[in-house]
Amino acid sequence: MSSSARGSNRGPAAAAENRHALLSAARELFAEKGYNVPLSAIARAAGVGQAVLYRHFPRRLDLAFAVFEENFTELEVLAADEGADAFERFFARLVDLMIESLGFVELVVGARADYDDGAGRLATLVAGPLGRAQRAGVVAGEVTIADVDLALRMVYGVAVTALDDEQRARDVRAV
């Protein structure tokens, strides 16, 4: 195949676009097929070669944490909301992310010994909306960050034991 038939290699100019495509494909495939989906499938879905994937994310763990970082970014925006119902919306979205990103939650739980910043970062995010909700009288004053953590771990337990995606969503909503 001639080089003109293959298209031009944009090299470094395509790096940001390639990274975005890889993150989007990984989020979708991890959610659909689980954390152990072949990395070649992620590269293919992103429209890049495996070398490009490995250049951006040398290890599967790096890719998964980068996708999970998007979740933290979204939660940071919600946590900054000053509204009285911000904690309720923050917690609801956190639960939704646990359902949508179960593979990532499993990854983070499994990688806690090596990467412990996730739990502390989440506790910091919870503190703001929880405190504001307590001051507004929306959440009881005795609820602690540890209580929220326990509730999230219970939701996680329900989510990981569901037989399929539909049951997972139904069961978590019932909790």
Side-chain angles (χ1 to χ4, degrees):
M1 177 187 294
S2 73
S3 62
S4 61
R6 281 183 286 174
S8 63
N9 179 348
R10 292 180 44 224
E17 184 180 317
N18 289 344
R19 179 179 169 81
H20 177 73
L22 286 164
L23 290 171
S24 294
R27 178 179 296 277
E28 183 178 320
L29 289 172
F30 282 157
E32 181 183 317
K33 301 190 183 281
Y35 173 67
N36 289 313
V37 65
L39 293 177
S40 60
I42 293 171
R44 204 170 25 259
V48 301
Q50 278 189 259
V52 171
L53 182 145
Y54 287 115
R55 196 167 22 256
H56 286 277
F57 306 103
R59 300 172 303 158
R60 176 182 300 271
L61 194 61
D62 298 323
L63 175 60
F65 271 106
V67 172
F68 197 65
E69 178 62 30
E70 291 179 355
N71 293 351
F72 272 113
T73 301
E74 181 180 351
L75 291 171
E76 286 169 346
V77 170
L78 290 171
D81 187 337
E82 297 286 330
D85 66 340
F87 178 73
E88 181 179 343
R89 286 185 285 115
F90 175 87
F91 190 81
R93 184 58 184 142
L94 184 53
V95 169
D96 287 344
L97 286 171
M98 289 178 73
I99 294 168
E100 294 169 15
S101 303
L102 202 53
F104 304 120
V105 176
E106 290 173 334
L107 164 76
V108 171
V109 168
R112 279 187 302 195
D114 296 324
Y115 299 92
D116 194 32
D117 66 331
R121 188 171 176 193
L122 185 58
T124 300
L125 287 176
V126 168
L130 176 60
R132 288 189 297 277
Q134 288 172 321
R135 287 188 295 281
V138 178
V139 174
E142 64 269 6
V143 174
T144 66
I145 293 172
D147 295 329
V148 175
D149 178 60
L150 180 60
L152 290 171
R153 290 185 307 163
M154 288 189 284
V155 168
Y156 172 75
V158 169
V160 297
T161 58
L163 297 175
D164 57 42
D165 291 340
E166 287 181 25
Q167 181 188 8
R168 176 175 299 113
R170 243 187 349 266
D171 290 352
V172 167
R173 299 284 179 249
V175 175

